[in-house]
Amino acid sequence: LGSARVTRIDTAAVRVVGPCLIVRVWAGDVYGVGECYPSGPVRAVDAAVRGLTELVVGEDPRDVHRLYEKMRRWQIFNGGQAGTIVTAISGIELALWDLAGKLLGAPVYQLLGGAFRTEVRLYADCNAGTVDAAGHHTSALPDPATPDGRAAFARVAATARDRGFTALKFDVDDVYGALRRDEWNRSLSRAQIDRMVGQVSAIREAVGDQMDLAIDMHARFDVPSAIRAARALEPFDLMWLEEPVPPENLAALAEVRRATSVPICAGENLYTRFEFLDLFKAGAVDCVMPDVAKFGGLGEGRRVADLAELHYLPFAPHNVSGPVGTVAAAHLCAAVSNFTVLEYHAMDLDFFEGLVRYAGGPVVRDGYVHLSDAPGFGLELNEDALRAVEHTRSGIGVFAPDR
Ligand SMILES: [Mg+2]
C-alpha cells in the first residue's frame, strides 16, 4: 500500500455565502481540501481546527472513518457532540476524503461505494425573494399583496428556472417585516399567514407545476402557528416545509408533522448521526437535510442517508458552502440511493465559480453538479480568487505560512 502520513494542516478564511474556513490537510506535497460551514465565529472554528491538528498529524489520511472517530471521541468531554467543534471536525474530514482520493487515484464517490448517479440535482435557494435578477440583495421584502411584489417573486423564480434549476426554495418567515408585532414570541398573526400564502401563490403561478418548491421557516414559530401556516400552504403541493418550529424539541416537530399533509424537512441544525437517530425515533420528518460541512462530514452523511433509507425517507442535504463544500456534498449525494436534491445557495455570487477549477466543468451547470473521474473531489483552488474574498477581519489570512 505504501506509506502516507498527514504532515500539516493550513487554513484560509474567506467570505462566500458567509465567512467560511477552507481547510487543507497535507501529506508531503499533496493536499486534500475541505470547508467548514460558513456561519458563526470563523476564528473559533479556525482555533478548533488548529487544536485538532495534533490528532491527525502522523496518521494515515486514508483511514478517514477512524480519524473522524478519533477526533470526535477525543472531544466528547469538550462539547464534541455539536457546534463549533463538530464543524471544525467536518472541514478536516472533508479534506481527508479529498486527500485519500488523490492518494488512491479515485474520485471520492467511488471511495464511498460508487455512484447511483453522476449528475447531482440542485435546488436554487432564492432567500425571501430578495435576490434580484442583477444579483443584489434588496433591502425591503417584496409585498405579495401588490402587483409589483408578486412580479418581484416571479422574477427571482424565473431567473432560477432560466438557469436550468428544476427546484427552488424560498424563505417565508419575514423576520424584519412590518407585520411582525413582537420581537420575541413565536406566534403568527392572520396577516402574516396571509402574506406567506400570497408569496407562495405568486411563486407557484410564476413557475407552474413542473418546478419543485420548498419553503423555509427557519425554526421561528410556535406549534399552533406552525400548524396553521402549514395547513394554509397545503394547496401548493410543496416539496417540503422546512423547520417550522425550533430544532431542540423533536416531539414538537412531530406534532406539526402529524397535523398537516405538507411534507416536513429538518436537520440543518442537528449534529452527528446521534441527533438524527433521535429525529427518526420521534417520527418528526418526511425528509432529512444534514449539512455535511457542519454536522460531521461525508461519512456521517452516509450514515444518516442510510438511516433515512431504513425509514424509506429521502435525503436532501442542506448546503450554504462555497464550491469546495458544494462539490464535496455532491460526491456523497452521488453515492446514496435515496438522494433527491442538494441545496445551492450562491445564485447571487458571481465570483463563486472562479474560486476553484473543477474537473467536471463549472461547479454548477444547468442546475446540476456533474461529477467527473478526477481523483478526490476533482478541485484545484484558485488562491488569487480566494485572496480577493479574504475574510480580513478575522486575521486568519489565506493559507498564511507562519501561523
Ligand atoms: Mg433552512
Side-chain angles (χ1 to χ4, degrees):
L1 279 175
S3 66
R5 298 287 168 219
V6 174
T7 49
R8 66 189 174 97
I9 292 178
D10 60 5
T11 58
V14 294
R15 285 189 178 281
V16 189
V17 179
C20 66
L21 195 73
I22 308 291
V23 178
R24 292 193 302 196
V25 176
W26 290 82
D29 55 3
V30 183
Y31 73 80
V33 63
E35 179 175 348
C36 298
Y37 174 78
S39 187
V42 67
R43 275 186 290 197
V45 178
D46 184 65
V49 166
R50 286 169 188 288
L52 291 160
T53 296
E54 65 186 68
L55 298 178
V56 293
V57 165
E59 293 276 13
D60 189 328
R62 296 167 295 188
D63 294 339
V64 183
H65 290 313
R66 182 175 64 78
L67 295 181
Y68 171 75
E69 277 303 284
K70 182 180 179 183
M71 290 188 283
R72 194 183 70 76
R73 294 189 198 185
W74 257 245
Q75 299 302 321
I76 288 292
F77 289 81
N78 304 313
Q81 293 82 353
T84 295
I85 297 283
V86 177
T87 299
I89 291 173
S90 304
I92 296 172
E93 197 262 15
L94 264 52
L96 286 169
W97 281 112
D98 185 37
L99 179 54
K102 285 177 174 172
L103 293 170
L104 294 164
V108 169
Y109 65 82
Q110 287 183 353
L111 302 187
L112 291 167
F116 285 91
R117 62 194 69 77
T118 55
E119 298 186 347
V120 171
R121 185 185 178 215
L122 302 170
Y123 69 86
D125 184 279
C126 299
N127 297 295
T130 47
V131 181
D132 70 23
H136 301 288
H137 288 267
T138 53
S139 54
L141 296 181
D143 180 357
T146 67
D148 280 356
R150 291 179 74 83
F153 287 119
R155 195 164 56 241
V156 173
T159 299
R161 185 191 56 202
D162 293 347
R163 289 195 205 173
F165 292 97
T166 55
L168 304 177
K169 184 164 86 183
F170 276 82
D171 306 333
V172 291
D173 42 309
D174 188 17
V175 192
Y176 309 107
L179 297 172
R180 192 137 192 236
R181 292 210 181 91
D182 186 290
E183 191 181 351
W184 288 102
N185 76 38
R186 302 186 190 278
S187 286
L188 281 167
S189 66
R190 166 80 185 261
Q192 284 175 294
I193 292 174
D194 282 350
R195 188 192 176 285
M196 291 177 180
V197 170
Q199 178 184 340
V200 176
S201 83
I203 297 161
R204 179 55 86 198
E205 191 178 293
V207 299
D209 293 333
Q210 297 306 309
M211 188 80 89
D212 288 323
L213 178 59
I215 293 296
D216 194 351
M217 291 188 165
H218 287 124
R220 303 225 192 264
F221 304 123
D222 59 30
V223 168
S225 294
I227 290 172
R228 286 172 64 215
R231 286 179 174 167
L233 295 175
E234 284 175 358
F236 302 104
D237 194 21
L238 300 181
M239 182 163 65
W240 69 65
L241 182 63
E242 181 168 320
E243 290 199 301
V245 293
E248 302 93 346
N249 184 336
L250 300 176
L253 183 62
E255 191 178 342
V256 176
R257 182 188 178 218
R258 282 193 299 272
T260 179
S261 63
V262 178
I264 299 295
C265 185
E268 71 170 276
N269 288 308
L270 301 180
Y271 291 84
T272 81
R273 60 193 185 265
F274 296 101
E275 293 194 351
F276 279 84
L277 177 62
D278 292 339
L279 186 69
F280 291 117
K281 280 182 178 169
V285 284
D286 299 282
C287 179
V288 288
M289 52 153 188
D291 189 313
V292 296
K294 171 182 181 176
F295 104 117
L298 300 186
E300 208 70 325
R302 151 121 251 164
R303 294 176 198 105
V304 167
D306 289 343
L307 269 173
E309 174 60 15
L310 290 173
H311 294 80
Y312 307 132
L313 291 177
F315 177 76
H318 181 262
N319 172 47
V320 289
S321 287
V324 174
T326 299
V327 170
H331 278 261
L332 170 65
C333 295
V336 298
S337 64
N338 51 338
F339 163 75
T340 53
V341 68
L342 169 68
E343 182 163 12
Y344 171 64
H345 208 291
M347 282 268 291
D348 57 334
L349 302 180
D350 51 15
F351 62 86
F352 180 93
E353 292 286 343
L355 299 177
V356 294
R357 282 174 293 276
Y358 175 53
V363 171
V364 175
R365 178 158 43 96
D366 301 329
Y368 286 80
V369 175
H370 302 259
L371 292 175
S372 83
D373 290 334
F377 294 141
L379 288 170
E380 282 177 55
L381 298 176
N382 181 345
E383 291 190 39
D384 289 337
L386 290 171
R387 269 188 283 277
V389 292
E390 179 185 346
H391 185 268
T392 49
R393 196 158 49 86
S394 68
I396 292 167
V398 175
F399 307 121
D402 298 325
R403 294 185 70 248

